[in-house]
Amino acid sequence: MRIKIKFYARFQEYFGSEIIKEIDNNSSDTLKNIAKSVTEDNPEGQAFIFDDAGNFYDYVILMKNGERIYSDNADEIFVEDGDEIRIFPPVSGG
Amino acid sequence: MFSKQELDRYKRQILSFGEEGQKKLKDAKIFVAGAGGLGSPISIYLAVAGVGTLVVADKDVVELTNLNRQILHYNRDIGKKKTESAEEKLNALNPDIRVEVLDVTIDESNVSELVGDSSGIVDGMDNFPTRYLLNDVAIEKNIPLFHGAIRGFHGQATTIIPGKTACLRCLFPKAPPVEVFPVVGVTPGLIGMVQATEVIKYITGEGELLKNRLFIWDGMQARTEEIQFAKNPACVSCGNLMNKE
C-alpha cells in the first residue's frame, strides 16, 4: 500500500514537504509507527516530533485525510492504502 | 454621519459594503496585541479601512533586527517605543480614526483591563502563553479572537468566535517549544492580511469567516491548505462554555 505523509513548518526542514511510503500490502500499521519509520533516518528532526518515551509530543498536530487525530490516539489509528497523513507543529512567531 | 473627507477616503470600499458597512467599521474598537511583524500590517490595514478605534499594545522598543518585517517602524525609529512609532504612522495614514496605544506587556493581571470594551482582539503575539491569555479573555468577554502566527515562510490563521467555534486551546492544547524563530517579512505580511480581512468581514458582516478552519500557508511550496477542527469538550479554556449550552 501507498501512504503520503506531509510535513509543515519546522518539520519540513528535516523531512522535506512530502514523503511517499510504500508498505507491504499484507501489513497494516498505526499512524504512530508509520510516522516513526519515515522519520527515523533523521534523529535530530525526529526528536522534535517524538519524546524520549517514543510518543508524539503533545503539541504535534496530526491529521489523517483532513481529519484531526489527537496524538494520544495515534497508537490506535491504523492507516490504509491511499491515506494522507499530515504532521505539523503550530507555528508561534508573530 | 460621515464627513466629505471620510466619504472620499472610503469611496472605493463603500462600493463593496456600503455606508452601512463603513459605519460599522467606524463604530468598532479593535484591540491589536503587538506592533511587530503581524501587528504592523494588521494595524496599518485596519487603520486605512477606517476601524474607528484601534488600540495597539506593545512594550518593546524598535530595534534594527525588527526592520525586515515590522513595517510600521522605520530606520529613524530605532530606539523609540514601538507604541510611539505606531501611533505616529497610524495617525499619519488616517487622521479620521482614533489610535490608542498601550506601552505595556500583556500579562494575566492586566489583559482583561487592557482589552476593555473592545469589540475584537487581533493576535499579533509571538508566543503561545500570551495567546492563551488573549483566548481566555475573548471567551470571558464573548468577543472574537483573530489568530495568526508565523515561522519562516510558514503561517497559520483562524477566527475564534466564543461559543460558536472551537477556541485556540481546542485547536492547540499545548504550546510548541519556545525558539528564536526565523521570519521573512512577507510571511507576517501575508498572514496579517488574512487576519485583517477576517476583522473587516466580521465587523461588516460580509462573507464567510475562518470558523473552525485553520488556514495554513506554506510559502516554501506556494501552497495553501485548510484544516477543519472542532470544539474539544474537555478544553480547559472553553469546555465550561460548552457544558452550559
Side-chain angles (χ1 to χ4, degrees), chain A residues 8 12-13 68 86 92-93, chain B residues 131 150-151 171 218 225:
Chain A
Y8 296 88
Q12 213 174 72
E13 291 167 14
R68 175 82 177 264
R86 301 185 209 185
S92 61
Chain B
R131 285 192 171 96
I150 52 99
R151 181 188 194 278
L171 175 58
D218 178 346
E225 306 247 7

Side-chain angles (χ1 to χ4, degrees), chain B residues 170-245:
Chain B
C170 295
L171 175 58
F172 302 123
K174 299 284 177 183
V178 174
E179 59 166 336
V180 176
F181 55 90
V183 52
V184 185
V186 288
T187 310
L190 193 143
I191 294 298
M193 283 311 87
V194 174
Q195 293 173 274
T197 303
E198 289 290 286
V199 174
I200 292 168
K201 280 158 50 191
Y202 173 80
I203 296 170
T204 58
E206 298 284 320
E208 289 296 321
L209 297 169
L210 275 172
K211 290 197 270 191
N212 289 331
R213 296 188 286 147
L214 183 69
F215 170 90
I216 295 179
W217 168 239
D218 178 346
M220 276 300 191
Q221 307 299 322
R223 283 184 201 285
T224 57
E225 306 247 7
E226 184 177 309
I227 284 173
Q228 310 268 343
F229 59 98
K231 291 180 188 180
N232 173 10
C235 177
V236 295
S237 289
C238 74
N240 287 341
L241 209 65
M242 273 176 256
N243 297 335
K244 272 188 228 158
E245 283 169 12

Side-chain angles (χ1 to χ4, degrees), chain B residues 28-33 115-123 131 133-148 158-168 195 198-204 209-211 241:
Chain B
K29 180 176 178 180
I30 294 293
F31 183 84
V32 182
V115 172
D117 61 352
S118 297
S119 36
I121 301 172
V122 197
D123 169 9
R131 285 192 171 96
L133 293 179
L134 296 175
N135 182 57
D136 290 349
V137 165
I139 293 167
E140 171 202 315
K141 293 180 185 277
N142 197 25
I143 57 173
L145 171 65
F146 303 92
H147 163 70
T158 189
T159 296
I160 291 151
I161 313 282
K164 293 194 175 142
T165 69
C167 78
L168 192 67
Q195 293 173 274
E198 289 290 286
V199 174
I200 292 168
K201 280 158 50 191
Y202 173 80
I203 296 170
T204 58
L209 297 169
L210 275 172
K211 290 197 270 191
L241 209 65

Side-chain angles (χ1 to χ4, degrees), chain A residues 31 69-77:
Chain A
L31 193 162
I69 304 289
Y70 285 92
S71 52
D72 290 351
N73 302 331
D75 260 345
E76 299 143 31
I77 302 290

